[in-house]
Amino acid sequence: MESEGMHHEASSKENVDFVKLLKAADEELYPGCKTFSSLSFFLHLYHLKCLHRWTEKSFTMLLELLLDAFPGGMSLSKSFYQAKKIIQALGLDYKKIHACPNHCMLYWGETENQELCRICGSSRWAVSRGSNQNDSTNVPQSSSLATKKKPAEVLRYFPLIPRLKRLYASTKTSKNMLWHEEGRKKDGKLRHPADGAAWKAIDDRYSDFSSDPRNVRLALASDGFNPFRTMSTSYSTWPVVLVNYNMSPWICMKQSSFILSMIIPGEKGPGNDIDTYLQPLIQELHELWEGVDTYDAFTQQMFQMRAILMWTINDFPAYAYLSGWSTKGEFACPCCAEFTHSRWLYNGGKHCYMGHRRWLPEDHSYRRQKENFDGVEEVGIAPTRLDSCNVLKQLDDIQFSSRTPFKRKQSKKKRKVGDQVEELNEEGNIEVRQAANAMNWWKKKSIFFMLPYWQYNLLRHNLDVMHIEKMFVIIFLAHYWLLNISLRII
């Protein structure tokens, strides 16, 4: 009892600023105001400041004007300095982590004070045109000139642990975090990821984790987008978002419930080097798997909050970046792997993928129809998907070469087919030779395998439905259009 009182006292000190914010959320902006509270009105003003780039001086003058216009006791801060303390009290700020412009490394942890990239040798700082790169790296970091230098690349990282703790600091959200166990119907129907086999496999393997329903289940989603809203500019910024599955589907899939983890800067997307930017998140997920002290406002008790990353959600190109599997070329299908049936179209210069009839029953009529498909009768069986342990064994057997920032141009055009490589020589003839490594469909070992539970996840990567439905509709409309044209010709 005495230790619980000490924990409760420590948690009260830790959340004292958050409690003040909750009181400000219930406080009226002025007597009789039902539209805004003092906190919500200030957050609206601060949002406008960020959108329209108001200066701190202009924001302070606006607050002074509002206080003079409502002398009857309007509860607002008198200056931007006082108002900024309210934002800091939320504890939801972000960290700026410098990065190599070639996506090689982060200046973070042991390499925080380095000036040059240890992989490609690029400078940490942005160098203006016409200046010498070596001049900017010789300036001591403590000098006044060094403080004015602009970093070449900056990662905005939003710490995860404080945000998960905030969910349990309120009695309402703390109760909602138990919906996956206490609120959903358990009638065998698939309404929530908790009804799926992947969720149940985690529960069976880690019974100590599943025994406390307050432990958090997360999913990771990422994709590139152009922030300038124009297709003529080639620019790709990659946000990484986490989804909290503890809450009900109508709450966890709202935009306000998404947890922004980081913003990977452009102008070029990180590609396979996205693991470089995921390092801070992986470190926090390690801490959350071990457990962090958290105060539950609903039960008014301290507990060890743990969290697990269940899977990722992305489109097919991002699937390659996050998983390490090459989604291009002959072995593009991550399920069929080396048993993928592909054919090279010399006229179109692309791969087409066949063998879909393997998943039909053995006595299905489509298996025997040659003329309606690729001219071959299908007698094969569907390949068995590799489990995570075999995938990890394959990755351990492959030696991945160290990353080089500069790509050498190849004078010959090469194309891999199975365990052979077709090479176009200078005379224009095709030469066939054996490939040095028949398992080079893996581009890297994903950083997610650093998590102790990742290899045992039944479902590690998901494809979002939007792109799949979009392509299906496009293909259907194209076939429908061609059918109408052929009917009109006939």
Side-chain angles (χ1 to χ4, degrees):
M1 296 295 292
E2 197 171 320
S3 61
E4 286 186 10
M6 294 177 60
H7 284 303
H8 183 70
E9 183 179 355
S11 65
S12 299
K13 292 180 181 179
E14 183 182 359
N15 294 297
V16 61
D17 293 333
F18 187 72
V19 172
K20 290 181 180 180
L21 289 175
L22 292 179
K23 292 182 179 179
D26 297 331
E27 184 181 2
E28 294 181 348
L29 180 61
Y30 55 85
C33 179
K34 303 299 181 182
T35 308
F36 294 100
S37 64
S38 59
L39 179 62
S40 63
F41 184 75
F42 167 73
L43 291 178
H44 277 80
L45 284 180
Y46 191 80
H47 189 209
L48 292 175
K49 175 193 179 302
C50 297
L51 288 177
H52 302 287
R53 300 180 181 179
W54 297 348
T55 62
E56 296 182 7
K57 184 177 181 181
S58 64
F59 192 76
T60 300
M61 294 176 66
L62 176 61
L63 293 176
E64 293 175 353
L65 177 63
L66 291 174
L67 289 174
D68 293 339
F70 296 88
M74 190 176 186
S75 55
L76 269 181
S77 302
K78 297 181 180 180
S79 64
F80 176 75
Y81 176 75
Q82 296 179 356
K84 196 174 181 180
K85 292 183 178 180
I86 300 177
I87 299 297
Q88 293 176 348
L90 288 170
L92 303 180
D93 55 345
Y94 64 89
K95 298 179 181 179
K96 292 183 179 180
I97 304 176
H98 296 178
C100 172
N102 294 322
H103 311 303
C104 299
M105 60 169 285
L106 295 179
Y107 297 97
W108 168 75
E110 297 179 354
T111 61
E112 183 177 1
N113 298 323
Q114 292 187 7
E115 296 286 329
L116 297 176
C117 176
R118 61 185 178 185
I119 298 178
C120 67
S122 299
S123 174
R124 175 177 183 169
W125 311 104
V127 182
S128 59
R129 295 181 180 179
S131 62
N132 189 2
Q133 179 176 347
N134 296 327
D135 295 342
S136 63
T137 58
N138 294 329
V139 180
Q141 190 175 3
S142 58
S143 64
S144 59
L145 182 60
T147 58
K148 297 180 181 179
K149 292 188 296 184
K150 182 180 179 182
E153 207 81 37
V154 179
L155 169 70
R156 269 80 175 178
Y157 179 70
F158 301 80
L160 175 61
I161 294 177
R163 283 160 174 78
L164 294 182
K165 285 186 175 182
R166 281 289 181 263
L167 294 174
Y168 285 101
S170 172
T171 55
K172 183 178 180 180
T173 56
S174 178
K175 186 177 180 180
N176 290 336
M177 291 290 287
L178 303 177
W179 183 92
H180 69 97
E181 180 64 25
E182 300 178 357
R184 67 182 178 92
K185 295 181 180 179
K186 301 178 182 180
D187 54 359
K189 296 182 180 180
L190 186 61
R191 295 189 177 93
H192 188 267
D195 301 319
W199 189 295
K200 296 177 182 178
I202 292 295
D203 290 346
D204 295 338
R205 187 172 189 87
Y206 303 106
S207 57
D208 56 336
F209 178 85
S210 59
S211 60
D212 192 348
R214 293 175 293 188
N215 291 331
V216 187
R217 319 271 183 142
L218 299 171
L220 184 144
S222 181
D223 198 3
F225 77 102
N226 190 336
F228 302 109
R229 298 182 179 180
T230 173
M231 298 300 294
S232 60
T233 303
S234 177
Y235 199 98
S236 181
T237 300
W238 283 68
V240 177
V241 180
L242 297 173
V243 182
N244 177 16
Y245 283 138
N246 282 41
M247 297 183 177
S248 59
W250 50 88
I251 295 180
C252 72
M253 298 309 296
K254 283 186 176 180
Q255 183 179 358
S256 57
S257 300
F258 293 157
I259 303 174
L260 180 62
S261 178
M262 66 184 70
I263 300 177
I264 301 175
E267 133 187 27
K268 296 181 180 178
N272 289 324
D273 298 321
I274 193 174
D275 291 356
T276 302
Y277 298 95
L278 293 175
Q279 295 178 63
L281 177 61
I282 296 299
Q283 181 180 5
E284 276 201 291
L285 289 173
H286 267 288
E287 297 179 21
L288 286 167
W289 181 247
E290 298 296 331
V292 293
D293 292 332
T294 306
Y295 177 70
D296 186 358
F298 182 69
T299 60
Q300 297 183 357
Q301 294 178 352
M302 295 289 295
F303 75 103
Q304 283 284 316
M305 179 184 64
R306 302 175 63 188
I308 186 173
L309 182 65
M310 302 288 294
W311 48 64
T312 68
I313 306 173
N314 36 256
D315 58 5
F316 211 46
Y319 184 107
Y321 302 151
L322 292 173
S323 66
W325 181 272
S326 177
T327 56
K328 298 178 181 179
E330 183 186 5
F331 305 107
C333 179
C335 298
C336 299
E338 64 268 28
F339 302 105
T340 303
H341 285 190
S342 60
R343 181 177 298 177
W344 179 257
L345 302 178
Y346 286 94
N347 294 333
K350 296 180 179 180
H351 278 98
C352 66
Y353 303 96
M354 314 300 293
H356 308 97
R357 291 177 290 165
R358 291 181 292 172
W359 278 268
L360 295 174
E362 294 182 1
D363 57 347
H364 202 281
S365 59
Y366 283 178
R367 281 179 170 267
R368 298 184 297 274
Q369 294 181 8
K370 301 179 181 181
E371 63 280 356
N372 294 334
F373 295 96
D374 55 354
V376 178
E377 183 176 349
E378 184 61 68
V379 295
I381 60 175
T384 303
R385 186 175 182 179
L386 292 176
D387 56 12
S388 55
C389 295
N390 290 329
V391 168
L392 189 60
K393 184 179 179 180
Q394 283 187 1
L395 292 171
D396 291 338
D397 293 339
I398 301 175
Q399 297 294 330
F400 295 98
S401 59
S402 59
R403 184 188 178 280
T404 55
F406 305 105
K407 297 182 178 179
R408 298 179 180 178
K409 295 182 179 180
Q410 297 181 354
S411 58
K412 299 180 180 180
K413 296 182 180 181
K414 300 179 180 180
R415 181 175 63 86
K416 184 178 180 300
V417 180
D419 58 349
Q420 296 179 340
V421 172
E422 292 185 359
E423 187 174 277
L424 189 66
N425 56 22
E426 297 178 356
E427 290 78 12
N429 300 324
I430 297 177
E431 297 178 355
V432 180
R433 62 178 177 83
Q434 290 294 118
N437 184 8
M439 295 178 60
N440 61 356
W441 45 78
W442 290 106
K443 296 300 181 182
K444 65 176 182 178
K445 183 177 180 180
S446 176
I447 193 174
F448 293 115
F449 281 104
M450 296 179 63
L451 299 173
Y453 51 81
W454 187 254
Q455 60 176 314
Y456 303 111
N457 284 7
L458 190 62
L459 182 63
R460 295 183 300 277
H461 302 283
N462 297 269
L463 296 176
D464 57 10
V465 183
M466 181 187 71
H467 292 82
I468 298 174
E469 288 183 345
K470 182 179 179 181
M471 293 305 299
F472 178 80
V473 171
I474 292 175
I475 294 173
F476 175 79
L477 292 177
H479 282 287
Y480 182 75
W481 179 69
L482 292 174
L483 179 61
N484 285 342
I485 291 179
S486 61
L487 290 176
R488 291 176 184 176
I489 294 175
I490 295 175

